[in-house]
Amino acid sequence: MEKYGDWFIMALAGTLLLAWLYRSFYRWLHAPVNMNRITLGKGAAVSDGDENVQLLNRNGYKVLSAKHVVPIPVELDDAPLGTGARIYIDYMATKDDLTYIVKTARERKPMDWTASGVRDQLLVYALLLQDCSGILYIDAKSGTIRKIAFHLSD
């Protein structure tokens, strides 16, 4: 009896392993091409004295991290173009179990509050981190927080 029990356990383990391998291969085979997701590192430490962090905290947001830099290599005619490009994310914040990318207002680059102006300046962030619930555009001088969400259709 002990001999058949060992064979049964081995057969069950082999079947589970084959099922897991098949499922993993099937998922990989049918995954969309654009599934390469960017993962952010830890980012810089959050300074509690920062007026932007204080504004977010007063409005119920919890700031997770600050100053993320996402390097993007650029090629032109199959040759690297300089050192590439970088995208800067000022903060990452959460509220009600939703994660947001935070961009701060800059005097040198004011926001054009038209659909095309918002798209031109912020759509790249929504495409870069698709798991986020939106983008918070904050202006500490005026004390405003604007929530932007892009609804992309398939």
Side-chain angles (χ1 to χ4, degrees):
M1 179 68 181
E2 191 174 306
K3 181 178 177 183
Y4 295 115
D6 291 344
W7 277 104
F8 176 73
I9 291 173
M10 291 298 289
L12 182 63
T15 303
L16 290 175
L17 179 65
L18 286 174
W20 177 76
L21 286 172
Y22 172 78
R23 185 169 181 245
S24 298
F25 179 71
Y26 184 86
R27 280 183 149 181
W28 172 78
L29 191 62
H30 291 91
V33 176
N34 63 353
M35 284 295 287
N36 297 335
R37 298 228 189 266
I38 299 233
T39 54
L40 296 177
K42 289 183 179 181
V46 177
S47 171
D48 291 331
D50 186 355
E51 60 185 3
N52 295 314
V53 174
Q54 292 173 355
L55 175 63
L56 287 166
N57 289 337
R58 279 194 308 266
N59 286 282
Y61 293 95
K62 180 184 177 196
V63 179
L64 302 174
S65 59
K67 293 184 174 65
H68 291 275
V69 179
V70 180
I72 300 176
V74 179
E75 288 185 3
L76 178 65
D77 297 329
D78 297 326
L81 188 60
T83 59
R86 288 180 281 259
I87 293 179
Y88 297 94
I89 296 173
D90 296 323
Y91 303 97
M92 294 298 293
T94 61
K95 182 178 182 181
D96 300 329
D97 294 326
L98 300 173
T99 304
Y100 297 96
I101 299 166
V102 180
K103 289 299 293 175
T104 57
R106 308 258 190 252
E107 287 184 23
R108 294 185 311 159
K109 194 173 183 183
M111 177 65 73
D112 176 16
W113 289 110
T114 62
S116 60
V118 171
R119 177 205 62 211
D120 290 346
Q121 290 191 25
L122 299 177
L123 179 62
V124 67
Y125 300 102
L127 295 174
L128 186 68
L129 298 168
Q130 296 177 3
D131 294 337
C132 288
S133 299
I135 300 156
L136 300 175
Y137 187 84
I138 63 173
D139 188 350
K141 286 185 179 178
S142 66
T144 58
I145 298 176
R146 313 267 328 244
K147 189 186 313 181
I148 299 105
F150 293 96
H151 301 285
L152 305 171
S153 61
D154 290 335

